[in-house]
Amino acid sequence: MALDWFKRVEDSKGLFAVESISLIYNAITTLLIVCLYSQMDHPGRMLLERVGIVVITFALIGVYRKYPCRLSAFVRMVVQMSFLAYWYPDTFEFNRLFPNLDHLFASVEQWMFTCQPSVEFMKICPGMWFSEPFNLGYFAYYPMIAIVAIYYFIFRFEWFEKVSFVLVTSFFIYYLIYIFVPVAGPQFYFPAIGMDNVAVGNFLSIGDYFNHNAILLPGPDAHQGFFYSLVEASQEVGERPTAAFPSSHVGISTICMIMAWRVNRKLSYLMAPFYVLLCCATVYIQAHYLIDVFAGWISAIGIYLVSTWMYKRWFASSVFRTVLG
């Protein structure tokens, strides 16, 4: 399906749905910074960064006003989605101030399963024959999101704004949860308390330990295969002791599967093996507790319904459909 990227369209002064929700999230977190200013590590820089995001947003709107075409409108959307790479580690700057809750989640995990599944999973499935497929699944997270978004853009263009809005809004809802529910996950918590304590089920409360420490437990694979190395490299760059409960990897990928299923069953079938590997990998590489995965599945349904309702209630008549359709 060919699109005339430079087709001139009627100018519109309104915000796109993704821009609106991004500005709302920006405002909420700005208010949090003001309230927690004296406790934060670099609040002034964070405020300046938020101003920068607002400036870029309205600068792109200005470019679109001057050159109203499909390309300039599409760029506005993509830039807002790319800002998620900033907003994710930003959650750590807030939740590091609150007492860590991993000891509660690890204790619940132990009570439910009489062990730590993230530890036992690695023991049951050692070596590259297991590690590489699971790490492939974990690494497939962002390609899955991109594939669904691109598919809608090419083949279901009239729903592209809705899909983009639901994805971005879902991320923001998860990010707000991560700010106020500080759970780092086994790969951060277990090194903090020591594997000896984990082995005997002694899960210590570590308070604001992660406000000053961010030691990451290496993933389970002594041979370090290709996908293992990719996952480790990406975590070293962008991972923080945050975002464990619920698992957004499971939640967002579940939402992607729902979107794929609704538009093309064959696409969902092709994605299904990677989805299953991804869900398993979140526990296997010790990024999450098993209960985080369950919460990811449950929350995905609720967040998908809520974000879809928000779009239909507030943005269904958005200018984006008129501009690009």
XYZ file of all heavy atoms in Angstrom, residues 133-183:
455
model
N 17.134 -19.367 22.921
C 15.734 -19.124 22.539
C 15.016 -18.164 23.485
O 14.252 -17.293 23.026
C 15.102 -20.516 22.590
C 16.241 -21.450 22.381
C 17.414 -20.801 23.049
N 15.264 -18.300 24.786
C 14.600 -17.404 25.734
C 15.085 -15.964 25.561
O 14.288 -15.019 25.597
C 14.827 -17.869 27.172
C 14.053 -19.108 27.530
C 14.644 -20.123 28.266
C 12.732 -19.257 27.150
C 13.929 -21.273 28.604
C 12.005 -20.400 27.471
C 12.614 -21.407 28.199
N 16.381 -15.789 25.375
C 16.906 -14.439 25.155
C 16.439 -13.873 23.818
O 16.219 -12.666 23.694
C 18.434 -14.440 25.237
C 18.945 -14.396 26.663
O 18.920 -13.367 27.312
N 19.398 -15.538 27.159
N 16.280 -14.744 22.806
C 15.688 -14.303 21.546
C 14.283 -13.772 21.782
O 13.913 -12.703 21.269
C 15.652 -15.462 20.557
C 14.766 -15.281 19.309
C 15.259 -14.118 18.469
C 14.734 -16.567 18.492
N 13.493 -14.505 22.566
C 12.140 -14.061 22.871
C 12.129 -12.740 23.608
O 11.330 -11.838 23.295
N 13.027 -12.587 24.584
C 13.080 -11.346 25.356
C 13.480 -10.179 24.454
O 12.924 -9.086 24.548
C 14.088 -11.491 26.490
C 13.942 -10.451 27.575
C 12.943 -10.565 28.543
C 14.789 -9.351 27.636
C 12.806 -9.609 29.545
C 14.663 -8.398 28.627
C 13.667 -8.532 29.582
O 13.530 -7.584 30.563
N 14.428 -10.423 23.547
C 14.895 -9.374 22.649
C 13.833 -9.020 21.609
O 13.849 -7.929 21.039
C 16.180 -9.823 21.946
C 16.850 -8.733 21.164
C 17.563 -7.734 21.811
C 16.753 -8.696 19.782
C 18.170 -6.720 21.101
C 17.363 -7.677 19.058
C 18.085 -6.699 19.718
N 12.893 -9.945 21.356
C 11.850 -9.713 20.352
C 10.789 -8.713 20.817
O 9.897 -8.358 20.034
C 11.175 -11.038 19.987
N 10.896 -8.245 22.037
C 9.892 -7.346 22.615
C 9.668 -6.110 21.744
O 8.535 -5.836 21.297
C 10.359 -6.947 24.008
C 9.509 -5.947 24.733
C 8.162 -6.189 24.974
C 10.072 -4.763 25.219
C 7.386 -5.283 25.684
C 9.314 -3.859 25.933
C 7.976 -4.110 26.156
O 7.218 -3.209 26.856
N 10.719 -5.356 21.471
C 10.565 -4.133 20.691
C 10.253 -4.413 19.224
O 9.431 -3.692 18.623
C 11.805 -3.246 20.841
C 11.927 -2.666 22.226
C 12.887 -3.114 23.113
C 11.037 -1.682 22.662
C 12.982 -2.596 24.403
C 11.117 -1.151 23.940
C 12.101 -1.610 24.807
O 12.184 -1.110 26.079
N 10.861 -5.426 18.591
C 10.418 -5.770 17.220
C 8.935 -6.119 17.144
O 8.265 -5.764 16.165
C 11.294 -6.973 16.869
C 12.547 -6.753 17.635
C 12.097 -6.140 18.931
N 8.394 -6.799 18.160
C 6.967 -7.120 18.150
C 6.122 -5.852 18.144
O 5.134 -5.743 17.402
C 6.613 -7.992 19.360
C 7.061 -9.432 19.262
S 6.705 -10.379 20.770
C 4.913 -10.317 20.801
N 6.507 -4.881 18.971
C 5.778 -3.616 19.012
C 5.855 -2.919 17.657
O 4.850 -2.424 17.122
C 6.348 -2.702 20.116
C 6.167 -3.349 21.495
C 5.680 -1.325 20.080
C 6.885 -2.614 22.611
N 7.072 -2.895 17.086
C 7.273 -2.225 15.804
C 6.490 -2.911 14.697
O 5.879 -2.242 13.841
C 8.762 -2.201 15.459
N 6.482 -4.238 14.694
C 5.772 -4.983 13.645
C 4.282 -4.676 13.671
O 3.660 -4.434 12.628
C 6.024 -6.495 13.814
C 7.456 -6.839 13.395
C 5.020 -7.310 12.987
C 7.872 -8.247 13.746
N 3.685 -4.666 14.865
C 2.256 -4.380 14.976
C 1.956 -2.957 14.521
O 1.016 -2.712 13.747
C 1.766 -4.604 16.423
C 0.351 -4.075 16.597
C 1.821 -6.089 16.776
N 2.768 -1.992 14.986
C 2.540 -0.598 14.605
C 2.699 -0.402 13.101
O 1.880 0.265 12.451
C 3.502 0.310 15.370
N 3.746 -0.989 12.527
C 3.992 -0.842 11.088
C 2.898 -1.523 10.275
O 2.464 -1.003 9.236
C 5.382 -1.400 10.725
C 6.475 -0.504 11.323
C 5.551 -1.494 9.207
C 7.865 -1.084 11.212
N 2.451 -2.690 10.746
C 1.378 -3.379 10.024
C 0.131 -2.509 9.960
O -0.493 -2.378 8.891
C 1.063 -4.713 10.685
C 0.052 -5.522 9.900
C 0.464 -6.419 8.928
C -1.326 -5.353 10.101
C -0.457 -7.141 8.173
C -2.249 -6.058 9.354
C -1.809 -6.954 8.396
O -2.726 -7.649 7.654
N -0.245 -1.926 11.100
C -1.423 -1.060 11.093
C -1.196 0.155 10.191
O -2.111 0.593 9.478
C -1.764 -0.610 12.512
C -2.717 -1.535 13.230
C -2.245 -2.611 13.970
C -4.094 -1.337 13.173
C -3.118 -3.470 14.630
C -4.973 -2.175 13.823
C -4.480 -3.244 14.555
O -5.349 -4.093 15.202
N 0.015 0.697 10.236
C 0.311 1.872 9.434
C 0.147 1.574 7.946
O -0.384 2.395 7.185
C 1.734 2.352 9.717
C 2.135 3.547 8.896
C 1.629 4.806 9.178
C 3.013 3.408 7.830
C 1.990 5.903 8.419
C 3.386 4.499 7.066
C 2.875 5.754 7.360
N 0.583 0.393 7.511
C 0.549 0.047 6.084
C -0.815 -0.481 5.644
O -1.347 -0.077 4.604
C 1.642 -0.990 5.761
C 3.029 -0.388 6.010
C 1.520 -1.478 4.316
C 4.162 -1.380 5.828
N -1.399 -1.363 6.462
C -2.598 -2.083 6.005
C -3.905 -1.635 6.667
O -4.972 -1.913 6.140
C -2.408 -3.585 6.246
C -1.260 -4.174 5.476
C -0.095 -4.530 6.125
C -1.337 -4.348 4.103
C 0.979 -5.070 5.426
C -0.275 -4.893 3.390
C 0.889 -5.251 4.062
N -3.819 -0.992 7.838
C -5.034 -0.508 8.506
C -4.797 0.925 8.956
O -4.877 1.264 10.132
C -5.381 -1.403 9.710
C -5.840 -2.789 9.352
C -7.192 -2.766 8.656
N -7.704 -4.109 8.432
C -7.431 -4.845 7.357
N -6.632 -4.353 6.412
N -7.934 -6.048 7.216
N -4.529 1.756 7.968
C -4.077 3.108 8.252
C -5.076 3.911 9.077
O -4.708 4.756 9.889
C -3.787 3.824 6.935
C -2.921 5.025 7.084
C -1.575 4.896 7.339
C -3.459 6.296 6.970
C -0.767 6.010 7.477
C -2.657 7.411 7.103
C -1.310 7.273 7.357
N -6.356 3.627 8.865
C -7.386 4.395 9.570
C -7.366 4.155 11.075
O -7.950 4.931 11.845
C -8.772 4.064 9.005
C -9.237 2.631 9.255
C -8.747 1.630 8.228
O -7.776 1.954 7.509
O -9.331 0.534 8.148
N -6.689 3.066 11.521
C -6.619 2.756 12.940
C -5.226 2.987 13.529
O -4.978 2.652 14.674
C -7.031 1.301 13.187
C -8.431 1.020 12.781
C -8.856 0.252 11.745
C -9.614 1.538 13.411
N -10.227 0.245 11.670
C -10.720 1.037 12.696
C -9.838 2.383 14.496
C -12.031 1.355 13.030
C -11.156 2.707 14.830
C -12.226 2.187 14.094
N -4.336 3.572 12.722
C -2.953 3.725 13.184
C -2.857 4.637 14.403
O -2.110 4.371 15.338
C -2.073 4.271 12.052
C -0.650 4.506 12.460
C 0.166 3.445 12.815
C -0.123 5.784 12.504
C 1.482 3.640 13.192
C 1.185 6.000 12.874
C 1.990 4.927 13.222
N -3.623 5.726 14.402
C -3.565 6.639 15.548
C -4.049 5.948 16.818
O -3.448 6.085 17.883
C -4.405 7.885 15.314
C -4.308 8.861 16.482
C -5.408 9.906 16.476
O -6.449 9.663 15.853
O -5.212 10.948 17.110
N -5.138 5.191 16.701
C -5.667 4.500 17.874
C -4.654 3.511 18.425
O -4.425 3.460 19.644
C -6.955 3.763 17.518
C -7.516 2.936 18.671
C -8.735 2.140 18.243
C -9.201 1.241 19.384
N -10.362 0.407 18.987
N -4.036 2.723 17.552
C -3.040 1.741 17.988
C -1.870 2.427 18.674
O -1.407 1.993 19.732
C -2.564 0.900 16.781
C -1.317 0.103 17.123
C -3.671 -0.032 16.328
N -1.385 3.500 18.083
C -0.263 4.236 18.668
C -0.639 4.814 20.028
O 0.139 4.748 20.983
C 0.180 5.353 17.721
O 0.574 4.832 16.482
N -1.846 5.361 20.105
C -2.300 5.928 21.369
C -2.414 4.854 22.448
O -1.965 5.042 23.581
C -3.651 6.612 21.181
C -4.258 7.106 22.468
C -3.882 8.320 23.007
C -5.190 6.335 23.156
C -4.429 8.772 24.205
C -5.743 6.766 24.346
C -5.360 7.993 24.878
N -3.012 3.717 22.118
C -3.185 2.643 23.092
C -1.833 2.144 23.580
O -1.631 1.919 24.780
C -4.010 1.491 22.488
C -3.968 0.258 23.388
C -5.457 1.925 22.272
N -0.882 1.979 22.686
C 0.449 1.511 23.082
C 1.139 2.511 24.011
O 1.630 2.139 25.083
C 1.315 1.272 21.837
C 1.023 0.003 21.045
C 1.813 -0.008 19.738
C 1.342 -1.243 21.864
N 1.167 3.774 23.609
C 1.854 4.786 24.410
C 1.158 4.985 25.754
O 1.805 5.089 26.803
C 1.956 6.112 23.636
C 2.482 7.224 24.529
C 2.865 5.947 22.420
N -0.163 5.037 25.745
C -0.908 5.194 26.991
C -0.690 4.005 27.915
O -0.557 4.165 29.137
C -2.410 5.366 26.694
O -2.591 6.497 25.849
C -3.195 5.558 27.989
N -0.626 2.802 27.348
C -0.364 1.610 28.156
C 0.997 1.713 28.835
O 1.140 1.394 30.022
C -0.424 0.354 27.280
O -1.702 0.191 26.712
N 1.997 2.159 28.090
C 3.313 2.366 28.693
C 3.235 3.353 29.844
O 3.804 3.131 30.923
C 4.306 2.875 27.640
C 5.014 1.795 26.888
C 4.698 1.531 25.560
C 6.016 1.042 27.485
C 5.358 0.551 24.849
C 6.688 0.063 26.783
C 6.358 -0.197 25.458
N 2.539 4.470 29.636
C 2.455 5.496 30.673
C 1.745 4.980 31.925
O 2.126 5.326 33.053
C 1.757 6.736 30.138
C 2.620 7.587 29.249
C 2.064 8.314 28.213
C 3.987 7.653 29.444
C 2.854 9.107 27.385
C 4.798 8.434 28.625
C 4.223 9.167 27.594
N 0.720 4.161 31.744
C 0.033 3.595 32.906
C 0.977 2.687 33.682
O 1.055 2.741 34.920
C -1.228 2.828 32.473
C -2.277 3.798 31.921
C -1.811 2.033 33.643
C -3.504 3.120 31.322
N 1.730 1.860 32.969
C 2.723 1.016 33.639
C 3.775 1.874 34.344
O 4.180 1.566 35.471
C 3.393 0.085 32.637
C 2.583 -1.157 32.334
C 2.141 -1.418 31.038
C 2.260 -2.069 33.337
C 1.392 -2.560 30.756
C 1.510 -3.206 33.050
C 1.088 -3.446 31.764
O 0.342 -4.574 31.495
N 4.215 2.938 33.704
C 5.246 3.783 34.307
C 4.760 4.421 35.603
O 5.527 4.540 36.570
C 5.674 4.873 33.321
C 6.442 4.361 32.109
C 6.724 5.203 31.033
C 6.869 3.040 32.040
C 7.414 4.732 29.924
C 7.560 2.576 30.942
C 7.832 3.421 29.882
O 8.518 2.956 28.790
N 3.501 4.839 35.637
C 2.959 5.403 36.874
C 2.927 4.355 37.987
O 3.201 4.662 39.150
C 1.557 5.960 36.621
C 1.484 7.271 35.834
C 0.040 7.632 35.522
C 2.155 8.405 36.609
N 2.600 3.114 37.626
C 2.633 2.038 38.617
C 4.049 1.854 39.140
O 4.277 1.719 40.356
C 2.113 0.719 38.018
C 0.635 0.845 37.647
C 2.314 -0.443 39.001
C 0.079 -0.356 36.888
N 5.037 1.876 38.256
C 6.415 1.646 38.664
C 6.932 2.748 39.590
O 7.770 2.496 40.457
C 7.319 1.548 37.432
C 6.975 0.406 36.515
C 7.225 0.476 35.156
C 6.359 -0.743 37.005
C 6.896 -0.566 34.307
C 6.020 -1.785 36.162
C 6.291 -1.692 34.822
O 5.955 -2.729 33.996
N 6.449 3.956 39.385
C 6.865 5.063 40.246
C 6.446 4.822 41.689
O 7.218 5.059 42.626
C 6.275 6.390 39.729
C 7.003 6.825 38.447
C 6.374 7.490 40.795
C 6.408 8.051 37.776
N 5.228 4.322 41.883
C 4.684 4.195 43.234
C 4.753 2.784 43.804
O 4.445 2.571 44.984
C 3.231 4.686 43.246
C 3.092 6.146 42.924
C 2.608 6.569 41.699
C 3.479 7.102 43.849
C 2.482 7.920 41.390
C 3.370 8.458 43.564
C 2.873 8.874 42.331
N 5.152 1.797 42.986
C 5.322 0.423 43.471
C 6.762 0.009 43.159
O 7.028 -0.627 42.142
C 4.320 -0.549 42.815
C 4.452 -1.945 43.426
C 2.897 -0.035 42.969
N 7.700 0.386 44.020
C 9.124 0.160 43.738
C 9.561 -1.288 43.934
O 9.950 -1.702 45.022
C 9.832 1.091 44.730
C 8.877 1.229 45.869
C 7.493 1.137 45.274
N 9.489 -2.065 42.871
C 9.946 -3.456 42.875
C 11.004 -3.592 41.782
O 10.734 -3.287 40.622
C 8.790 -4.435 42.623
C 9.288 -5.878 42.722
C 7.651 -4.195 43.609
